[in-house]
Amino acid sequence: MRNILKAATLESKFPLLSAEQDFIISKDADITVAFRVELPELFTVTGIEYDAIHSAWHKAIKVLPNYSIIHKQDWFIKETYMPEVQKDDLSFLSRSFERHFNERPFLNHTCFLFLTKTTKERSRIQSNFNTLCRGFIIPKEIQDKEAIQKFMESVGQFERIMNDSGFITLTRLNSDEITGTPGKAGIIEKYFSLSQSDTTTLKDIQLNAENVRIGDNILCLHTLSDVEDLPGKISTDSRYEKLSTDRSDCCLSFAAPVGVLLSCNHVYNQYIFIDDHAENLKRFEKQARNMHSLSRYSRANQVNKEWIEEYLNEAHSQGLISVRCHCNVMAWSDEREELKHIKNDVGSQLALMGCKPRHNTVDTPTLYWAGIPGNEGDFPSEESFFTFIEQALCFFTEETNYMSSPSPFGIKMVDRLTGKPLHVDISDLPMKKGIITNRNKFILGPSGSGKSFFTNHMVRQYYEQGSHVLLVDTGNSYLGLCEMINRKTQGSDGVYFTYTEQNPIAFNPFYTDDNIFDIEKRESIKTLILTLWKRDNEPPTRAEEVALSNAVNLYIDKLKGGIQPSFNTFYEYVSGEYKEILISKQVREKDFDVANFLNVLEPYYKGGEYDYLLNSDKQLDLLSKRFIVFELDNIKDHKILFPIVTIIIMEVFINKMRRLKGVRKLILIEEAWKAIAKEGMAEYIKYLFKTVRKFFGEAIVVTQEVEDIISSPIVKESIINNSDCKILLDQRKYMNKFDSIQALLGLTEKEKAQVLSINMANHPGRKYKEVWIGLGGTQSAVYATEVSLEEYYTYTTEESEKLELFQLTEKLDGNIELAIKQLAESKRNQN
C-alpha cells in the first residue's frame, strides 16, 4: 500500500502552549526552563579542570527531582566574517586587515540548556505516540503544583551550582528571548529555521520516510542511542594529538570531535533523563532473574545477565544514580553532494570518539521534533540507553570557540582554529577584573618566530587608539611603520631617531620644565651618575651612595638660586663647594674619593670626549609626538654610550609619563634592556616597571635569547615579577631548556602545554605565526598573528623587501601608502 503523508499546518502540530513567567509550557503540561550557556574557550582547559566541570554538572543534576530531563543543545553554524570597513575612523592598515578577512568562513557556536519537568507516564512514551503522530492535541492541565514548585526551587539550585563553578555561566532566557519579538527571532523560531540569526522566517518542513527537509536544507542524523554503539571506555577529556607533545598534553572534552572540531552546520543534542532510580534498579533485578532463567537456552542471555548484575553492583556499591541518556548529531546541507561528505565527516568524528557511527533514518522526524526547546517530554524512550550520571556527562561538549572581548580597547588577533579575527583586550579589562595588577608585558621569542610582526601589529593598534608609543630598538624593526606614520602625518608624528656622530642624542638630566625635583626625579639622576661612575662589577659602598645623594640634593637646592642646570654646573659644584663641605665634615677619602669621582666623570664635562651628552641646551620636544622610535643599532656594542643613551631615552618617557595626564603611554624596549640590566641599574628598571602603572602606562620588554633571562637575576626581579602579561612565541627550539624557562616565568602545566603547542598544527592554506598570551597566571590562550599583505610590507624586517618599498615610495613622491598598496597588489596577482 502506498504511503501518503498528509500536509498539515505547523500550528495544528505545534507541541507548545505558551511561554509564561520565563517558563515554556507544553500542551502536555511539561514545564521547561531555558538557559544560554557560556563555556570555556577551547585549548584553555586542562584535564583537571575538565574533571572539575564534570563534577559541577554532576552536583547540579543531582538536585533535580525525578522525571526531569536535561537537554543541552549546541549549535554550530557556518558563517563568514563581515569586515567593519564602513567605520569612518579606520586607518589604511586597519581597513586592509578587515578586507583581508572578508568572507573568511568560521563556525559560530551557541549553546543552550533546557531543564524540563515531565511526568512518569510521559517519560515512557515511544515514537508512535509523539505529538507528530497524533491527529489532535488537547492541552492538559498541570496537576501536581507541588512538584512544579519543587522543580523550580531545584532549578535555582542548579543554576547557582553551575555559576559558582567558575568555568560555566548559565543565563536564564526570558519569555521574549524564547518566543521572539516583532523585530527579533526567539530560540523556537530559530530552531524551526535551522539558524541563529536574529531575523529569520519560518520554512516549510517536510517529513517523510527518506529524509527530513527544513526549507531547502536536508537533515542528516547520527544517534548514540544504544550501548552497543558506545566505546568500551569513556572519560571527561581526551588528548588532542595535533597540539600535544611528549612533554605536554593538550586536552579537549571527550565529545569535542562532534563539537567545535566538526566543521559543518550541525546541532549536537545531549539528553539525560532522570527517572525513579529505585524503580529502575528493581526493574533490572527482575530482568536479571529472567535472563538467568533463560540462560540455558542462549549464551547471550547469560552474558546479558552478567552485564546487568555488574550494572547493579556498580549502582549499589558506589551509590551511582541510574539515568537514561541519548545524544545525536543533526547536520544539514541544501546540496545532496555536500550532504554525503557531511555524513562521512560526522561518522568519522564519532569514530574518533570510539563510537560506532549509526546513521538514523527511522526516528529522524521524532528526534527533530523532540529537540524543539520545551518539547523534551516528547522524546521517544526507545532511543535512550541506561547508564549513570557520571558516564552520561562525558558526552557533553565543554568548550566553545574563541570569544572577542567586550572591551572598547584592544588589539585584533585571529582564532587559531578557524582564522576568524578576534578583538582581544590584554590591558584594560583584565586590570578592571583584577586578573592583572599592572599592564606591563614581557615578550620572549627566538629569531624568526614572528616577534617583530606581533610587536609591530600591537603597537600600531595602540597608536591608532590614541596611545603615546615610545620604542627603543636595535634592529630597524619599526622603520616601515614609523615612516608610514611620519608621511601620513606630514612629519608632525612618527619620529625616528638614529644615533650618529654628526647628530648624537643629547640630554640635560638636571632640567625640568616646572623646576620641581620630586623623589623620582632625584633618584633617576643618582642612578644615571652611578652608571657613569661605577662599573658593572663595582657596586658602590653605602658611604659613597650617601655622599652622592647629598651632592645631588645640595646641588638641586642651589638650582633655586638661578644656576643654569646642566652636568657642567653639577661637576663644578662637586669640584668646588661640595668638596669644601666634605673637607669640613672630615669625610675620609676611603669613604668617598672625590678626586676619583671627578676624574671618572671628566669625559662628560666640557671639553671632554662626551661633553655633548648631558649638557644639551635644548630639550627633546617629544611631549606631543605620539610615535617615537629610538634606533640604537650604531652604538649597541658601545659600553659607555649605549647604557647612558638608553637611560636618557627612558628619562624622556618618564617625563612624558608624568606630564600627560589621562593618556595611555607605552614604552617598548627591545634588546636594549640588556645594556641597562646591570647591577647598578636594577633599581631603575624596577622603578620604571612599578611606577608606570600609576600613570596609565605600560612598559614592555622584548628579548629573543633564553640565556639572557635564565642567567640574569635582575630580569627576574625587575622585569618578570613586574610584568603580569607574558607573551611567548614559538619555543620549540628551546624544548629541552623549557623547564628552566617555565620555572623562571612561573608558568603552570596548563600554560606550558599551550606554549609548546604553538605552530604545531597551523592551517596550510593560511600564512601566520601563533603567539601565547598569559595574563596574571590565571587566563591564557594561543592566538594567531595573521595580517594582510599591506601590513606585511609595513612590518617586514627583510632588507630586500624594505629596500623595494622605500625605492618605490621615492618614485611615488613619498606616498608610502600607495607604494604598499602596489606591492601588495602585485604579490596577490602573482599568487
Side-chain angles (χ1 to χ4, degrees):
M1 184 177 175
R2 191 179 169 194
N3 182 20
I4 300 173
L5 293 173
K6 295 181 180 178
T9 61
L10 181 60
E11 186 180 11
S12 67
K13 296 289 183 182
F14 197 61
L16 306 180
L17 183 65
S18 64
E20 297 176 16
Q21 299 176 29
D22 303 338
F23 292 96
I24 307 173
I25 301 167
S26 77
K27 290 178 180 176
D28 281 295
D30 297 331
I31 186 164
T32 300
V33 182
F35 295 96
R36 182 174 286 104
V37 184
E38 290 178 34
L39 298 168
E41 295 176 340
L42 79 166
F43 309 131
T44 64
V45 187
T46 63
I48 294 170
E49 288 170 334
Y50 276 120
D51 287 341
I53 294 170
H54 182 272
S55 177
W57 280 115
H58 187 216
K59 289 171 188 171
I61 288 174
K62 283 176 78 173
V63 305
L64 295 175
N66 290 344
Y67 307 111
S68 296
I69 303 172
I70 300 94
H71 176 204
K72 184 166 169 286
Q73 191 173 73
D74 291 86
W75 288 76
F76 300 91
I77 307 292
K78 286 175 79 172
E79 295 183 15
T80 54
Y81 181 72
M82 300 301 292
E84 300 174 343
V85 291
Q86 71 280 2
K87 288 184 178 178
D88 295 332
D89 58 344
L90 276 187
S91 69
F92 162 63
L93 291 180
S94 291
R95 203 174 293 276
S96 300
F97 178 87
E98 292 292 327
R99 284 195 182 123
H100 174 71
F101 291 96
N102 184 33
E103 295 190 352
R104 171 71 63 85
F106 65 93
L107 207 60
N108 199 14
H109 179 205
T110 314
C111 181
F112 298 105
L113 180 72
F114 306 106
L115 303 179
T116 301
K117 179 70 178 79
T118 185
T119 59
K120 182 178 179 180
E121 294 74 27
R122 287 273 291 157
S123 68
R124 292 176 176 175
I125 69 160
Q126 295 191 336
S127 55
N128 56 4
F129 198 69
N130 188 281
T131 49
L132 275 176
C133 306
R134 288 190 250 165
F136 192 67
I137 307 170
I138 302 171
K140 295 178 183 176
E141 187 178 339
I142 295 173
Q143 300 293 332
D144 194 345
K145 303 284 173 56
E146 189 179 330
I148 296 300
Q149 185 61 38
K150 185 181 175 185
F151 173 70
M152 290 178 180
E153 290 171 5
S154 65
V155 166
Q157 294 168 13
F158 186 104
E159 183 179 3
R160 178 71 181 271
I161 291 167
M162 293 309 300
N163 286 338
D164 286 350
S165 71
F167 296 101
I168 291 175
T169 306
L170 302 185
T171 307
R172 181 89 176 263
L173 298 181
N174 59 38
S175 297
D176 283 347
E177 289 172 305
I178 293 165
T179 60
T181 59
K184 195 172 181 180
I187 57 169
I188 296 171
E189 187 178 350
K190 289 175 181 177
Y191 183 82
F192 281 111
S193 306
L194 293 181
S195 166
Q196 285 298 307
S197 58
D198 284 334
T199 52
T200 59
T201 53
L202 292 178
K203 301 171 181 176
D204 290 340
I205 301 172
Q206 185 184 34
L207 310 173
N208 57 36
E210 293 175 4
N211 55 49
V212 173
R213 188 189 290 270
I214 314 294
D216 293 330
N217 292 311
I218 306 168
L219 283 187
C220 154
L221 191 76
H222 285 76
T223 56
L224 296 177
S225 53
D226 195 320
V227 179
E228 291 180 4
D229 298 339
L230 305 181
K233 187 178 179 183
I234 55 174
S235 58
T236 56
D237 61 281
S238 59
R239 177 179 154 104
Y240 187 61
E241 293 295 340
K242 285 184 179 179
L243 297 179
S244 297
T245 69
D246 57 347
R247 292 169 175 263
S248 62
D249 291 331
C250 176
C251 295
L252 288 175
S253 63
F254 182 76
V258 290
V260 287
L261 300 184
L262 178 57
S263 57
C264 64
N265 287 323
H266 68 286
V267 175
Y268 180 47
N269 289 298
Q270 306 120 78
Y271 296 89
I272 296 177
F273 304 90
I274 303 174
D275 300 320
D276 189 322
H277 170 68
E279 194 175 299
N280 277 353
L281 295 190
K282 280 182 188 175
R283 190 168 139 206
F284 277 119
E285 294 279 7
K286 183 180 177 182
Q287 200 171 343
R289 288 195 297 271
N290 290 341
M291 290 291 174
H292 181 66
S293 303
L294 298 169
S295 60
R296 63 187 300 179
Y297 299 107
S298 167
R299 184 171 293 276
N301 291 333
Q302 178 65 30
V303 172
N304 286 337
K305 177 243 180 187
E306 288 173 6
W307 279 115
I308 293 169
E309 284 190 341
E310 191 174 338
Y311 182 86
L312 290 166
N313 290 341
E314 289 273 320
H316 286 297
S317 63
Q318 297 184 32
L320 303 179
I321 296 174
S322 173
V323 295
R324 286 181 294 121
C325 179
H326 169 90
C327 299
N328 66 59
V329 180
M330 193 164 62
W332 63 87
S333 174
D334 56 358
E335 296 179 12
R336 287 197 176 274
E337 197 58 40
E338 187 187 12
L339 196 66
K340 289 179 185 176
H341 294 298
I342 288 174
K343 190 188 297 183
N344 292 336
D345 288 346
V346 176
S348 63
Q349 293 298 96
L350 283 168
L352 280 177
M353 293 167 60
C355 301
K356 182 181 176 182
R358 188 177 292 275
H359 182 223
N360 194 317
T361 56
V362 178
D363 277 331
T364 307
T366 51
L367 289 173
Y368 170 76
W369 209 247
I372 299 169
N375 195 39
E376 284 75 13
D378 237 4
F379 188 89
S381 60
E382 76 271 18
E383 284 288 345
S384 60
F385 59 89
F386 281 95
T387 184
F388 301 117
I389 296 175
E390 288 92 333
Q391 283 76 7
L393 285 171
C394 290
F395 291 97
F396 275 26
T397 51
E398 305 290 9
E399 60 274 300
T400 186
N401 29 32
Y402 283 19
M403 308 296 287
S404 286
S405 169
S407 170
F409 180 82
I411 59 174
K412 285 279 190 180
M413 297 300 289
V414 176
D415 184 322
R416 68 190 302 202
L417 188 68
T418 64
K420 174 194 174 187
L422 300 164
H423 177 77
V424 182
D425 184 356
I426 54 176
S427 293
D428 289 4
L429 193 62
M431 192 95 165
K432 189 177 178 182
K433 288 182 173 180
I435 295 168
I436 57 176
T437 56
N438 60 63
R439 296 180 176 85
N440 301 335
K441 295 169 179 58
F442 176 75
I443 302 175
L444 173 66
S447 179
S449 62
K451 184 171 69 278
S452 63
F453 257 78
F454 171 76
T455 49
N456 265 283
H457 192 55
M458 180 178 70
V459 298
R460 189 263 296 176
Q461 292 178 85
Y462 268 68
Y463 170 78
E464 289 176 358
Q465 293 174 80
S467 302
H468 279 244
V469 177
L470 189 148
L471 306 165
V472 186
D473 189 26
T474 58
N476 289 302
S477 301
Y478 306 94
L479 179 60
L481 181 59
C482 190
E483 185 69 16
M484 183 178 171
I485 292 170
N486 183 269
R487 300 287 178 104
K488 184 72 176 174
T489 58
Q490 297 177 338
S492 64
D493 208 343
V495 186
Y496 200 87
F497 287 101
T498 301
Y499 190 102
T500 60
E501 289 186 9
Q502 294 77 24
N503 188 24
I505 299 169
F507 182 65
N508 186 346
F510 298 93
Y511 176 83
T512 60
D513 285 340
D514 48 14
N515 210 30
I516 294 173
F517 292 85
D518 54 19
I519 293 172
E520 294 163 351
K521 180 66 175 173
R522 290 169 192 252
E523 286 300 318
S524 70
I525 292 171
K526 291 176 204 171
T527 304
L528 174 62
I529 295 170
L530 267 175
T531 306
L532 301 174
W533 179 24
K534 295 288 184 179
R535 294 189 178 185
D536 303 337
N537 57 355
E538 190 186 353
T541 64
R542 182 70 186 128
E544 288 173 333
E545 285 183 355
V546 170
L548 176 60
S549 184
N550 288 336
V552 170
N553 290 332
L554 289 170
Y555 171 73
I556 288 170
D557 290 339
K558 281 282 179 186
L559 290 178
K560 295 172 184 174
I563 297 174
Q564 183 67 31
S566 69
F567 182 80
N568 286 342
T569 55
F570 172 74
Y571 186 88
E572 289 162 1
Y573 171 74
V574 173
S575 62
E577 193 173 330
Y578 186 62
K579 190 175 182 180
E580 294 299 324
I581 293 171
L582 292 175
I583 293 170
S584 66
K585 288 185 176 181
Q586 298 182 343
V587 175
R588 294 176 300 178
E589 187 177 307
K590 70 173 185 177
D591 291 332
F592 182 58
D593 190 345
V594 182
N596 170 268
F597 179 76
L598 294 170
N599 183 51
V600 172
L601 297 185
E602 192 176 359
Y604 308 98
Y605 181 61
K606 60 185 172 186
E609 186 181 358
Y610 305 115
D611 62 348
Y612 59 85
L613 204 57
L614 304 173
N615 291 293
S616 175
D617 57 354
K618 58 180 181 181
Q619 291 304 301
L620 294 174
D621 183 25
L622 300 175
L623 197 65
S624 61
K625 309 296 183 190
R626 290 204 302 111
F627 197 92
I628 308 158
V629 179
F630 287 96
E631 170 52 57
L632 307 181
D633 204 43
N634 295 341
I635 56 167
K636 67 180 177 183
D637 297 320
H638 200 295
K639 291 184 179 180
I640 295 172
L641 286 178
F642 194 30
I644 295 168
V645 170
T646 308
I647 295 169
I648 289 170
I649 293 164
M650 290 170 76
E651 189 65 30
V652 169
F653 176 75
I654 288 170
N655 182 48
K656 189 185 276 271
M657 183 176 79
R658 289 198 195 100
R659 293 179 60 191
L660 293 171
K661 307 291 184 184
V663 177
R664 190 187 304 274
K665 307 142 202 99
L666 177 154
I667 181 168
L668 186 143
I669 308 168
E670 284 262 359
E671 299 301 314
W673 69 267
K674 281 187 276 188
I676 53 177
K678 308 294 183 187
E679 201 66 46
M681 292 302 304
E683 290 303 316
Y684 191 83
I685 298 176
K686 197 181 289 185
Y687 155 74
L688 175 69
F689 268 75
K690 283 186 174 180
T691 308
V692 71
R693 164 183 71 83
K694 302 172 187 174
F695 296 92
F696 195 26
E698 49 193 88
I700 303 172
V701 157
V702 183
T703 187
Q704 67 177 21
E705 289 300 328
V706 177
E707 294 301 328
D708 292 332
I709 61 167
I710 291 174
S711 59
S712 174
I714 293 161
V715 179
K716 182 178 181 181
E717 294 301 320
S718 306
I719 298 174
I720 295 174
N721 289 354
N722 290 298
S723 299
D724 280 2
C725 176
K726 295 176 180 67
I727 299 170
L728 275 69
L729 292 101
D730 199 333
Q731 301 293 314
R732 280 179 294 174
K733 67 166 67 174
Y734 301 131
M735 185 83 78
N736 295 329
K737 299 178 183 177
F738 197 76
D739 288 345
S740 54
I741 299 173
Q742 181 185 2
L744 185 69
L745 299 181
L747 303 181
T748 63
E749 285 299 312
K750 167 174 134 179
E751 291 171 332
K752 172 187 173 181
Q754 289 174 335
V755 172
L756 294 181
S757 75
I758 290 173
N759 294 336
M760 279 192 66
N762 287 10
H763 193 286
R766 291 164 32 213
K767 189 176 180 181
Y768 63 94
K769 294 281 180 71
E770 292 183 335
V771 56
W772 175 84
I773 300 175
L775 298 168
T778 58
Q779 190 175 304
S780 58
V782 177
Y783 300 95
T785 307
E786 184 178 347
V787 297
S788 62
L789 279 170
E790 286 82 357
E791 289 167 294
Y792 172 83
Y793 280 109
T794 306
Y795 306 155
T796 184
T797 53
E798 288 290 329
E799 191 66 35
S800 58
E801 291 174 339
K802 271 188 193 173
L803 199 61
E804 186 182 8
L805 172 62
F806 290 127
Q807 286 174 348
L808 185 57
T809 301
E810 292 309 313
K811 286 181 185 175
L812 297 170
D813 298 326
N815 191 335
I816 193 168
E817 277 191 18
L818 185 57
I820 290 168
K821 277 181 187 174
Q822 288 187 7
L823 278 176
E825 200 58 44
S826 66
K827 181 76 171 175
R828 270 191 283 265
N829 291 336
Q830 286 173 20
N831 295 338

